[in-house]
C-alpha cells in the first residue's frame, strides 16, 4: 500500500473514522525536510500495511485541518487512533527513528 492523499474534505472519513491507526504527514512541496522523509513514509506505509495507514495532507492546498490541529511547522506527523490524536512529532526524522516512534505509539 502507498500513502493516501488526505484533504480538508475527506479528513473525517480517511482519518477520524478510519478503522485503524492513521499517521498523517502535514507537508508542502517547497519543504525540504518534507521531501526528505517522503520516501520513508512510503516505505512505512508498505512495511506496516494492515497496522497503520499513512496519509499526506498538503498544507498549501488545505487550511482547515492544519489550523484545527495547531500545525505551525512542517513536516508535522500526527498519529491518530480511534479518531483522537495519539502522538505528534514535528520535524524530519531518520527512517529508523520514524519507525521506532510509530511502533512506540501503536
Amino acid at each position: 500500500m502507498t500513502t493516501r492523499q488526505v484533504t480538508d474534505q475527506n479528513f473525517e472519513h480517511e482519518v477520524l473514522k478510519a478503522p485503524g491507526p492513521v499517521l498523517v504527514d502535514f507537508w508542502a512541496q517547497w519543504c525540504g525536510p518534507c521531501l526528505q522523509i517522503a520516501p520513508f513514509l512510503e516505505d512505512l506505509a508498505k512495511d506496516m500495511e494492515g497496522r497503520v495507514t499513512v496519509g499526506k495532507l498538503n498544507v498549501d492546498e488545505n487550511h482547515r485541518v492544519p489550523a484545527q490541529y495547531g500545525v505551525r511547522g512542517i513536516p508535522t506527523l500526527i498519529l491518530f487512533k480511534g479518531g483522537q490524536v495519539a502522538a505528534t512529532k514535528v520535524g524530519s526524522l531518520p527512517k529508523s527513528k520514524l519507525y521506532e516512534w510509530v511502533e512506540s505509539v501503536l
Side-chain angles (χ1 to χ4, degrees), residues 1-7 10-26 41 44-45 48 50-57 65 69 76-89 101-102 105-106:
M1 177 182 277
T2 60
T3 58
R4 295 185 184 190
Q5 183 178 1
V6 177
T7 65
N10 72 7
F11 183 80
E12 184 174 352
H13 174 74
E14 291 288 333
V15 178
L16 301 181
K17 293 185 176 178
V22 181
L23 175 63
V24 180
D25 172 28
F26 292 82
L41 292 167
L44 186 105
M48 294 190 175
R51 296 183 60 210
V52 66
T53 300
V54 180
K56 296 178 68 69
L57 189 143
V65 172
Y69 288 94
T76 291
L77 303 172
I78 301 179
L79 186 59
F80 292 84
K81 290 171 78 174
Q84 301 294 316
V85 173
T88 302
K89 277 278 189 207
W101 175 67
V102 171
V105 180
L106 292 180

Side-chain angles (χ1 to χ4, degrees), residues 61-75:
E61 298 170 0
N62 302 278
H63 302 276
R64 182 180 53 82
V65 172
Q68 182 179 346
Y69 288 94
V71 174
R72 290 189 169 81
I74 55 173

Side-chain angles (χ1 to χ4, degrees), residues 86-105:
T88 302
K89 277 278 189 207
V90 179
S92 184
L93 295 169
K95 185 176 180 178
S96 61
K97 295 293 182 192
L98 173 65
Y99 277 63
E100 284 176 22
W101 175 67
V102 171
E103 287 282 0
S104 74
V105 180

Side-chain angles (χ1 to χ4, degrees), residues 29-48:
Q29 188 64 45
W30 49 264
C31 168
C34 298
L35 300 177
Q36 179 185 17
I37 67 166
F40 305 158
L41 292 167
E42 289 290 338
D43 291 345
L44 186 105
K46 291 175 190 147
D47 294 343
M48 294 190 175

